[in-house]
Amino acid sequence: DPTVRTPSVDIINAWSGVVPFDAYAQHPEMLARLYNLTDAVSQSIYAETWSERLRAALERTATLREVLAGVELRTEFATETHMAKQLEQVSRIVAARDELGSEHDVFFVEIGGFDTHSDAGPRLAELLDDIDGAIGSFVDEMRARDLWKNVTLVTASDFGRTLVYNGRGTDHSWGGNHITMGGKVRGGQMLGHFPSLDLDASPLILDPRRGSLIPTTPWEGIWKPIGQWFGLSDASLLEVMPNLANFPPSMVPSVDA
């Protein structure tokens, strides 16, 4: 559908918040020059689209900065980690949802360091401690605003880890554990099937020498209920997740699971 446009993405600095272009460029006159450039009318649809999107980005940045400057958090984030600062910024945007005209928002925060080829012990414990503190503070803020029931958190990664120790840590693999949590999530349960860890006998161990584990639940098993929560129809779910039809219902729980 040519009338459907991809929504813009706001990029917010975890520590500095919304950084306007003129402050980032350290040359205030550059903003006026950019607006002057985008005022020019072109016969090229590409040039006009570029000018339109650039102006929209600059105006959105100014709006975000003004709105978020007036947000007062109701709790204090317990930690000062990068993960916590990201979720603190998310909390501010959620608090300003009415002023920003938001209905459904998707936020992406990240934490690295899990490529534990040479350190699968202390480093992992440190990372999980950072995540625990950051999410704990975020949940406290959402509950203070009576919004936790409107929020769902999902973990994701581009790779899992092997089950076999390589002498220093672990290597890349497929299967792994992921978490979904939220005010309306029926927590305290494990979905999927815990695999046998018998490296020589388990049909889910592809390479016994490395312990490469084949997942028992597809990514669709996590994202289907999230899509339903967002209001996607069955037909829309198949468009968003074309591989969904390849898995039986037992492997892909619904939003009521």
Side-chain angles (χ1 to χ4, degrees):
D1 186 345
T3 63
V4 176
R5 300 181 60 180
T6 302
S8 59
V9 177
D10 298 317
I11 300 175
I12 299 177
N13 186 283
W15 299 89
S16 305
V18 179
V19 181
F21 176 81
D22 51 353
Y24 178 78
Q26 298 181 349
H27 294 286
E29 72 278 4
M30 289 294 293
L31 185 61
R33 291 178 181 178
L34 271 178
Y35 276 118
N36 188 41
L37 283 172
T38 56
D39 280 339
V41 178
S42 172
Q43 294 182 348
S44 168
I45 187 174
Y46 300 106
E48 283 297 293
T49 300
W50 179 84
S51 296
E52 176 190 346
R53 297 306 293 267
L54 178 58
R55 290 182 68 93
L58 294 172
E59 292 168 0
R60 171 69 175 180
T61 299
T63 299
L64 270 177
R65 183 175 176 81
E66 180 181 356
V67 170
L68 296 186
V71 172
E72 294 286 343
L73 295 181
R74 297 181 180 177
T75 61
E76 291 188 10
F77 272 62
T79 61
E80 287 287 313
T81 64
H82 185 63
M83 182 77 170
K85 297 303 290 185
Q86 291 177 85
L87 287 175
E88 183 178 342
Q89 297 295 346
V90 170
S91 298
R92 295 181 184 279
I93 300 174
V94 172
R97 66 198 181 283
D98 292 336
E99 292 88 339
L100 295 172
S102 300
E103 294 183 5
H104 288 88
D105 279 333
V106 177
F107 303 97
F108 176 79
V109 300
E110 63 179 346
I111 179 171
F114 287 93
D115 203 358
T116 53
H117 287 281
S118 59
D119 182 1
R123 179 57 178 155
L124 180 61
E126 178 183 338
L127 289 168
L128 293 178
D129 188 58
D130 288 350
I131 293 173
D132 181 66
I135 291 179
S137 292
F138 176 71
V139 173
D140 289 342
E141 178 65 24
M142 293 299 99
R143 284 176 171 162
R145 294 182 178 275
D146 195 26
L147 291 175
W148 179 230
K149 62 181 179 296
N150 299 331
V151 176
T152 298
L153 278 71
V154 183
T155 63
S157 176
D158 58 342
F159 58 82
R161 308 304 302 179
T162 57
L163 298 179
V164 175
Y165 185 60
N166 66 10
R168 297 173 300 170
T170 58
D171 297 316
H172 292 199
S173 189
W174 298 291
N177 301 310
H178 285 280
I179 302 170
T180 300
M181 66 186 76
K184 286 190 174 181
V185 175
R186 297 178 184 176
Q189 58 178 325
M190 295 182 64
L191 302 181
H193 304 282
F194 193 84
S196 167
L197 301 183
D198 187 334
L199 298 180
D200 296 316
S202 173
L204 297 176
I205 302 296
L206 186 63
D207 183 355
R209 295 170 302 174
R210 300 181 68 244
S212 299
L213 184 67
I214 300 175
T216 61
T217 302
W219 273 116
E220 285 77 5
I222 296 177
W223 293 112
K224 177 187 175 182
I226 300 296
Q228 290 176 317
W229 183 58
F230 267 87
L232 293 181
S233 64
D234 291 343
S236 296
L237 285 170
L238 288 174
E239 291 183 17
V240 174
M241 292 174 283
N243 291 324
L244 181 61
N246 296 333
F247 301 101
S250 60
M251 297 181 68
V252 186
S254 69
V255 72
D256 297 323

